[in-house]
Amino acid sequence: MSLITMEHLTKSYTERRLFDDTSFSIQEGEKVGLIGINGTGKSTLLKLAAGLEEPDEGSIVRRRNLYIRYLPQIPAFTAGDTVLEAIVRDNEKEPQFASLDELKASAKNILNQLGILDPDAQVDTLSGGQRKRVALASVLLSTADMLILDEPTNHLDSGMADWLEDYLKRFRGALLMITHDRYFLDSVTERIVELDQGKLYSYQANYEGYLKLKAERLDMAAASERKRQAILKTELAWMQRGARARSTKQKAHIQRYEALRDMEGPKTEQEVELQSVASRLGRTTVEIEGLCKAYDEKVLIRDFSYVFLKRDRVGIIGPNGSGKSTLMKMIAGWAEPDAGRIELGQTVKLGYFSQENEDMDESLTVIDYIRNVAEYVQTADGSVSASQMLERFLFPGSVQHTAIRRLSGGERRRLYLLRILMDAPNVLILDEPTNDLDIRTLTILEDYLDSFPGIVIAVSHDRYFLDRTVRRIFAFEGEGQVVQYEGGFTDYQAACIRKGAETGEPAGQRGGRGGGAAGKDGAAGKGGGAGSPEDGTEGAASPSSAASWKNRQPKLKFSYKEQREWDTIEDEIAALESRLEELESQIAAAATDYGRLRTLMAEKEETEQALEEKMDRWVYLNELAERIAAQK
């Protein structure tokens, strides 16, 4: 049974059309992941589903008495509430709790799972990530028929995300959520809905299946467009011959040409194009020796030493509050260690992609924010202007003079990333880069890091991102210990399981679900110590002239049957078109003769099918003829 049905949905925000006559529905018990580029309307769709906004056009029908709980991207609370008071306020009417004490006990249990250990803390004093987890705990306590969750995995460490994954898999109601955690999507969802250029595309699969099905859809669209262009080319030549085009018997031919001419081809996806831009890195990079840091009685880092070598790819993991971001801030010079030293080489140029977008002035326009760093930047393609770089980052000219405060959270993160890369760093520090960056941007960022000639240090809880990008893991394991593991996250996970089997201790942060994400070479979490040379392969020797002669491709040509078919196919197509026109006239004349009308309609359908098959065959023969002509 359908819980929510949206039809002919249209919605605009300022000059942007977010939805263009599109439709969406969700059934009882379905678990749906919504994906798409930031700023294209994903959060707006969730608000429409939750009844918090209305479409400009179209209809939204919800099942009667449908109970929905919604987690916004940025939750709001009543000023002065404690954590527990805020949750009780939202859930005091929930029927499953026999008493207030039972509600409070259940709330404390979920808060503990999500790392909120002080239920009496004032919500106003919490960080943005802590507030999001309090709101998530409140939503999960409900008995809703449907949960609508906007980025529930942001600000969760690996253990919390693991717990939430299990919880949502057991949840019996329907689920509609936005998340950029690809392993999480793969494990929890059974349908992926993609918002792309105002349209919604549904794929009955998890994330892995979606990738295959989307590739098939794009291939089919591209094939249809090639066919349309090939036919249009020939139809245009036919129209330009003049005399035949004026024949009254060829009206159907002319109408098909006009329909093909006016048809809109498939829109190609824009992609974030990141060029590897970096300054030269000298012999001395980043050297850490005897580093110690504590806050009050809590020791975060104890006697940590490491020398980063060129092209190091290091992932930093650990529970929230364990000291990961503190380590990054000390490397960047934003915080001082209690003991030890951090030495940066003279050629080191840091790029720090922090969690908070600290230096973003929201009153600036998009282009001025980038021009404050550089008007031009040198890339592999030569000198590229700030405006051109913004175009590559999916900020078209119509958006470049927009104030930053009008951008979505994900668009601001993408803009912030561009600003950092425009400065051409050679040591890139990424603190939770997967928060608020959409999947397509993350994919291109991962490809960019493959060829980045400097050092990458990434703090992340995203297993997919770590498997895809890093070759060494440093794990914060409590009491100031920072332990080194080789490989990506899956390799770290396996090492923890082995260690746990040997010592009887818990095996790492997350359980054994989720394999490694394959990189371009098909291997997850490429190993090898920092500073080890990249694997190289020697070019194959040129084949001898004799071998080339033996392996040469045969010359293309029509077979006897294909040549005869090519000589007559245009006449056969014209005959079918003429017959269709005759049938349409006969159908109009036989409007009251139902027996004859059925016969004529059946023949028309058969003739249309035959014409479609002939046109497909013509496209093949025409392409073959062009290839034969090209080799002469």
Side-chain angles (χ1 to χ4, degrees):
M1 180 178 181
S2 179
L3 299 182
I4 299 176
T5 301
M6 304 180 183
E7 294 183 336
H8 304 296
L9 201 64
T10 299
K11 180 77 172 178
S12 297
Y13 177 72
T14 62
E15 70 279 1
R16 303 189 205 180
R17 173 161 284 198
L18 301 179
F19 310 112
D20 184 12
D21 191 23
T22 193
S23 300
F24 169 76
S25 66
I26 185 167
Q27 307 296 315
E28 283 185 350
E30 259 197 315
K31 292 183 169 61
V32 178
L34 177 63
I35 64 175
I37 294 174
N38 287 329
T40 54
K42 299 191 303 297
S43 292
T44 300
L45 183 68
L46 296 196
K47 291 175 185 176
L48 290 169
L52 301 176
E53 290 192 18
E54 293 296 326
D56 297 337
E57 297 177 24
S59 64
I60 301 177
V61 178
R62 298 177 187 84
R63 192 194 70 186
R64 189 176 180 183
N65 298 322
L66 177 63
Y67 178 24
I68 295 173
R69 286 295 296 270
Y70 167 64
L71 174 71
Q73 199 170 67
I74 303 175
F77 296 91
T78 301
D81 272 358
T82 66
V83 168
L84 200 55
E85 287 170 346
I87 292 180
V88 169
R89 187 188 303 278
D90 290 341
N91 293 278
E92 56 188 351
K93 294 182 180 179
E94 288 289 339
Q96 75 272 28
F97 300 116
S99 66
L100 183 61
D101 288 340
E102 185 180 340
L103 169 57
K104 289 181 177 179
S106 297
K108 289 176 182 178
N109 179 52
I110 289 186
L111 286 167
N112 186 60
Q113 296 287 350
L114 295 174
I116 306 295
L117 305 181
D118 184 4
D120 297 321
Q122 295 280 323
V123 177
D124 298 342
T125 66
L126 302 181
S127 69
Q130 290 171 323
R131 289 162 65 90
K132 184 69 175 276
R133 281 180 270 145
V134 170
L136 176 60
S138 180
V139 168
L140 296 180
L141 274 171
S142 73
T143 55
D145 302 312
M146 179 177 178
L147 297 180
I148 298 178
L149 309 179
D150 197 342
E151 295 286 6
T153 57
N154 276 7
H155 310 290
L156 300 186
D157 66 30
S158 300
M160 297 172 196
D162 204 21
W163 175 84
L164 179 61
E165 185 179 305
D166 289 337
Y167 186 97
L168 294 178
K169 286 166 73 174
R170 295 194 308 270
F171 177 63
R172 293 184 178 180
L175 171 66
L176 173 61
M177 70 172 175
I178 299 169
T179 181
H180 304 142
D181 186 326
R182 286 154 287 184
Y183 281 161
F184 196 89
L185 274 173
D186 216 32
S187 178
V188 174
T189 63
E190 57 198 24
R191 178 158 71 104
I192 298 294
V193 174
E194 182 179 25
L195 176 57
D196 184 19
Q197 302 183 61
K199 300 292 186 182
L200 290 164
Y201 300 92
S202 182
Y203 303 87
Q204 201 66 43
N206 60 7
Y207 182 73
E208 182 181 359
Y210 147 78
L211 293 175
K212 297 175 183 175
L213 292 173
K214 181 181 179 180
E216 291 173 5
R217 177 177 72 82
L218 295 177
D219 286 346
M220 289 174 63
S224 296
E225 177 62 9
R226 287 195 300 270
K227 174 183 173 182
R228 184 178 79 93
Q229 292 294 338
I231 295 174
L232 187 59
K233 179 181 176 182
T234 299
E235 296 288 304
L236 179 60
W238 182 88
M239 291 286 292
Q240 291 171 342
R241 288 203 287 268
R244 187 179 176 190
R246 288 191 293 270
S247 169
T248 57
K249 291 186 177 181
Q250 297 303 321
K251 185 173 70 173
H253 209 139
I254 297 169
Q255 287 174 338
R256 188 176 70 218
Y257 162 74
E258 291 173 342
L260 285 168
R261 179 198 62 197
D262 298 337
M263 187 184 300
E264 186 176 346
K267 296 179 180 178
T268 57
E269 290 185 345
Q270 285 182 295
E271 289 188 345
V272 182
E273 298 179 16
L274 298 176
Q275 302 295 330
S276 292
V277 183
S279 306
R280 186 186 69 84
L281 186 60
R283 183 181 298 273
T284 303
T285 59
V286 180
E287 298 183 358
I288 301 174
E289 183 178 354
L291 197 68
C292 297
K293 185 68 177 179
Y295 284 110
D296 299 325
E297 300 299 318
K298 184 175 182 179
V299 178
L300 299 179
I301 302 170
R302 189 195 306 275
D303 195 25
F304 174 62
S305 300
Y306 185 71
V307 176
F308 289 88
L309 302 181
K310 293 181 179 180
R311 297 186 69 86
D312 237 346
R313 299 291 188 269
V314 174
I316 312 290
I317 65 174
N320 287 337
S322 59
K324 305 183 301 298
S325 292
T326 300
L327 175 58
M328 299 300 98
K329 289 176 180 177
M330 286 191 289
I331 294 174
W334 293 16
E336 292 293 326
D338 297 337
R341 69 178 184 89
I342 299 176
E343 181 181 344
L344 304 183
Q346 290 184 348
T347 60
V348 166
K349 190 173 185 180
L350 283 173
Y352 186 13
F353 186 55
S354 68
Q355 291 192 53
E356 297 85 11
N357 300 1
E358 279 92 346
D359 61 348
M360 185 168 280
D361 181 350
E362 295 184 3
S363 67
L364 291 174
T365 64
V366 169
I367 193 162
D368 286 340
Y369 179 72
I370 297 302
R371 282 175 174 164
N372 284 347
V373 178
E375 182 70 41
Y376 292 90
V377 66
Q378 292 299 319
T379 74
D381 296 334
S383 182
V384 179
S385 71
S387 179
Q388 289 171 319
M389 286 297 284
L390 282 166
E391 290 275 356
R392 294 181 177 189
F393 268 61
L394 309 183
F395 292 105
S398 59
V399 177
Q400 292 179 14
H401 294 281
T402 301
I404 290 172
R405 63 175 172 270
R406 296 179 65 185
L407 301 180
S408 71
E411 287 175 307
R412 295 185 195 190
R413 289 290 280 173
R414 193 193 317 143
L415 182 64
Y416 181 47
L417 177 61
L418 172 57
R419 179 185 171 103
I420 289 166
L421 297 179
M422 285 284 287
D423 205 27
N426 50 33
V427 176
L428 193 54
I429 298 175
L430 305 173
D431 196 349
E432 295 293 358
T434 61
N435 282 356
D436 299 316
L437 286 183
D438 58 76
I439 289 175
R440 276 174 56 191
T441 305
L442 284 173
T443 300
I444 304 301
L445 174 60
E446 289 159 357
D447 290 343
Y448 167 83
L449 295 178
D450 286 342
S451 59
F452 181 68
I455 295 168
V456 177
I457 309 168
V459 174
S460 181
H461 299 302
D462 189 319
R463 296 167 292 174
Y464 192 108
F465 180 81
L466 290 170
D467 274 340
R468 179 67 177 79
T469 59
V470 309
R471 297 193 291 268
R472 176 163 294 161
I473 294 283
F474 282 105
F476 280 68
E477 297 189 349
E479 300 180 354
Q481 292 187 74
V482 182
V483 181
Q484 178 176 324
Y485 297 85
E486 296 305 310
F489 186 89
T490 302
D491 300 308
Y492 153 77
Q493 195 174 48
C496 288
I497 292 172
R498 290 194 299 271
K499 184 193 293 186
E502 294 169 359
T503 63
E505 296 175 354
Q509 294 184 64
R510 302 195 73 175
R513 296 190 306 279
K520 286 188 172 181
D521 57 359
K526 291 179 285 186
S532 61
E534 297 294 319
D535 292 337
T537 56
E538 296 181 1
S542 299
S544 67
S545 57
S548 296
W549 181 84
K550 287 181 180 179
N551 295 325
R552 66 179 180 176
Q553 294 295 320
K555 192 172 183 179
L556 281 174
K557 63 179 181 178
F558 278 128
S559 68
Y560 175 75
K561 180 181 178 181
E562 286 172 336
Q563 184 64 60
R564 290 192 62 185
E565 192 176 4
W566 179 238
D567 291 340
T568 61
I569 195 166
E570 287 196 22
D571 291 335
E572 292 171 358
I573 289 172
L576 288 168
E577 288 172 336
S578 296
R579 180 56 185 158
L580 273 177
E581 190 170 357
E582 292 170 5
L583 287 168
E584 286 171 357
S585 299
Q586 293 172 16
I587 288 169
T592 58
D593 186 347
Y594 297 115
R596 178 163 172 72
L597 190 60
R598 282 197 299 270
T599 301
L600 291 171
M601 291 294 291
E603 184 181 352
K604 180 186 176 186
E605 186 176 339
E606 291 174 1
T607 305
E608 287 174 338
Q609 177 65 31
L611 178 60
E612 179 69 19
E613 291 172 359
K614 282 292 181 186
M615 293 305 301
D616 285 340
R617 185 62 178 167
W618 179 88
V619 169
Y620 165 76
L621 293 171
N622 182 64
E623 289 179 350
L624 181 56
E626 288 180 349
R627 290 164 61 195
I628 291 170
Q631 71 183 3
K632 290 180 179 178

